[in-house]
Amino acid sequence: MVPPIKSADERSGECDPDSSRELVIIREVYDSDSPHEKFECELETALANATETIVIEPARLGDETSRWISVGNCIHKTSVLSGLTGIMFALAYPDKPLIYFPISCLSLVSTSVYVLSWQGDPCCKYQVESNPANLPRLRGLNSSSPVVLVRRDDSRRKILQSIVTLSSIFFSSVNLYYNHR
């Protein structure tokens, strides 16, 4: 069963704070003087309301949003993978700090960037859903290729990132200390 859909056509006002928490469709309707600002306002409202699924029909807004989420994913993956690589090199080659210490520092810098500039963004709770099997059956869309954002719990992901980064810095620092005392 498809949940009731609230669209720009059915809402009153510029940005309705009482949007549906299950599904919001940001329709590509050009009926005002500044439609792009209206689309962005609708997206911000849906993100702030922690809507489970957001369908973005306007191509430009969908593209910008999916790229922004990709940047956050890239920062997170860089942090975790460099942290794991730093741990592996610190354990495998404890006498070569020029290999593992910069990699561990990259993990620390990436985690810091993620925590300071990305973690507070409401987009960090969403992922772009591209698997058609996982998409809800949506009828009546104006766009043939909308961007679908799905809210995901990212607490385990943040804990993993923090543990890997701290472990990487710990192993690197301990090896550096014992090799250069």
Side-chain angles (χ1 to χ4, degrees):
M1 183 170 131
V2 178
I5 299 172
K6 294 220 178 193
S7 68
D9 299 334
E10 299 167 340
R11 293 187 209 152
S12 61
E14 286 296 311
C15 291
D16 184 6
D18 299 325
S19 303
S20 168
R21 289 189 51 95
E22 290 182 27
L23 175 67
V24 170
I25 298 178
I26 299 171
R27 298 212 182 265
E28 190 167 24
V29 178
Y30 296 94
D31 61 353
S32 66
D33 294 338
S34 54
H36 296 292
E37 289 176 12
K38 183 178 178 186
F39 301 152
E40 289 174 5
C41 185
E42 288 178 19
L43 176 61
E44 288 174 15
T45 302
L47 292 171
N49 288 338
T51 304
E52 292 300 318
T53 304
I54 303 170
V55 180
I56 305 172
E57 285 186 348
R60 188 175 104 191
L61 181 62
D63 186 46
E64 289 172 359
T65 305
S66 64
R67 274 192 269 139
W68 182 244
I69 290 172
S70 296
V71 167
N73 290 342
C74 181
I75 295 169
H76 170 76
K77 288 177 185 175
T78 300
S79 172
V80 172
L81 292 177
S82 61
L84 291 173
T85 304
I87 291 170
M88 289 186 331
F89 278 116
L91 294 175
Y93 305 105
D95 57 333
K96 303 210 187 259
L98 287 176
I99 294 176
Y100 59 79
F101 200 72
I103 295 171
S104 296
C105 287
L106 174 63
S107 178
L108 180 63
V109 168
S110 298
T111 299
S112 298
V113 167
Y114 187 87
V115 167
L116 294 175
S117 66
W118 179 254
Q119 189 171 339
D121 192 302
C123 279
C124 79
K125 301 279 187 195
Y126 289 87
Q127 293 296 316
V128 176
E129 185 62 67
S130 56
N131 185 355
N134 294 340
L135 295 176
R137 298 197 195 289
L138 301 169
R139 296 180 298 260
L141 294 177
N142 297 334
S143 174
S144 60
S145 58
V147 173
V148 179
L149 305 180
V150 178
R151 185 172 172 82
R152 302 254 166 82
D153 179 23
D154 64 340
S155 58
R156 287 183 280 175
R157 178 175 136 146
K158 290 177 186 175
I159 291 170
L160 169 73
Q161 180 180 18
S162 299
I163 289 172
V164 167
T165 299
L166 292 174
S167 299
S168 178
I169 291 297
F170 173 76
F171 283 117
S172 296
S173 299
V174 167
N175 282 349
L176 193 63
Y177 174 76
Y178 284 118
N179 286 326
H180 291 92
R181 57 179 173 147

